């Protein structure tokens, strides 16, 4: 830094601060990429062909839903949260898929922790979700599927095995491909 009478000039100080922000910003971005990549590529949940982990969750109305009770049907599990922008953005595509394919059971599994049943249901309704919304505030269903990134979608075949998995948003065409429709 250039000094004038023992003081650091304003321009030098600004350059120094901008340099720090630039260096640390790049470092933080690289760390974020590594963490996200690690989460995506080190999944320990079920692979395609593995039995789908069973769960028991409730709707906001208190109805109990068990995955094992849906044996014989194709089931789409969509793990999401009300605060997740991409999750919210894909709801119209999920609704369109459910309307076009009522023979497939679509379950939106909310992992919101402190929202409460009424808040999750109100948000889902406001966003146009026209499929079953289940509450998983303790991630009791999400954990066995190794859900670390939202949204995550898992297709379970009629035989109870995992058919396909998608991390990130899906659209109707992708869901039709995943479910072989």
């Amino acid at each position: 830094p250039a000094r004038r009478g023992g003081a650091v000039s304003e321009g030098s100080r600004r350059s120094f601060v901008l340099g720090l922000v630039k260096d640390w910003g790049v470092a933080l971005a690289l760390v974020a990429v590594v963490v996200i990549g690690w989460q995506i590529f080190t999944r320990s949940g079920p692979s395609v062909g593995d039995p789908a982990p069973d769960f028991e969750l409730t709707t906001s109305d208190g109805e109990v839903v068990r995955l094992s009770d849906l044996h014989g049907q194709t089931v789409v599990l969509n793990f999401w949260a009300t605060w997740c922008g991409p999750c919210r953005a894909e709801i119209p595509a999920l609704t369109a898929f459910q309307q076009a394919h009522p023979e497939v059971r679509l379950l939106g599994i909310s992992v919101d922790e402190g929202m409460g049943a009424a808040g999750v249901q109100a948000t889902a309704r406001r966003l146009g979700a026209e499929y079953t919304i289940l509450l998983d505030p303790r991630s009791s269903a999400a954990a066995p599927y190794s859900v670390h990134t939202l949204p995550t979608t898992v297709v379970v075949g009629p035989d109870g095995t995992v058919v396909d998995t998608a991390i990130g948003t899906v659209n109707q065409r992708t869901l039709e491909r995943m479910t072989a429709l």
Side-chain angles (χ1 to χ4, degrees):
R3 295 181 179 248
R4 288 188 204 143
V8 175
S9 73
E10 186 63 33
S12 295
R13 186 176 304 139
R14 188 175 334 193
S15 294
F16 175 74
V17 169
L18 289 174
L20 279 178
V21 168
K22 179 182 170 192
D23 292 344
W24 282 102
V26 169
L28 289 174
L30 286 172
V31 168
V33 167
V34 168
V35 167
I36 290 170
W38 180 265
Q39 288 180 346
I40 290 172
F41 295 112
T42 61
R43 296 188 73 234
S44 60
S47 298
V48 171
D50 288 347
D54 196 16
F55 58 79
E56 179 178 301
L57 298 173
T58 59
T59 67
S60 60
D61 299 331
E63 175 192 348
V64 175
V65 176
R66 288 176 199 82
L67 182 60
S68 57
D69 290 345
L70 303 175
H71 194 79
Q73 300 177 49
T74 298
V75 181
V76 174
L77 310 175
N78 179 258
F79 295 91
W80 72 292
T82 59
W83 49 263
C84 167
C87 301
R88 295 164 65 101
E90 78 177 348
I91 287 176
L94 296 171
T95 295
F97 174 82
Q98 183 67 94
Q99 290 171 341
H101 302 285
E103 72 279 10
V104 175
R105 186 74 186 265
L106 177 58
L107 304 174
I109 302 174
S110 167
V111 296
D112 287 281
E113 292 178 15
M115 184 105 182
V120 169
Q121 190 61 38
T123 300
R125 193 173 301 119
R126 188 175 67 253
L127 294 170
E130 295 181 21
Y131 46 88
T132 303
I133 301 295
L134 300 175
L135 306 172
D136 190 18
R138 292 181 180 82
S139 293
S140 61
Y145 286 90
S146 292
V147 174
H148 300 291
T149 304
L150 296 176
T152 292
T153 303
V154 178
V155 176
V156 179
D159 63 352
T161 62
V162 174
V163 173
D164 205 349
T165 302
I167 297 172
T169 58
V170 294
N171 58 37
Q172 184 174 347
R173 180 172 288 151
T174 300
L175 286 170
E176 287 169 347
R177 180 191 51 76
M178 291 174 71
T179 57
L181 296 173

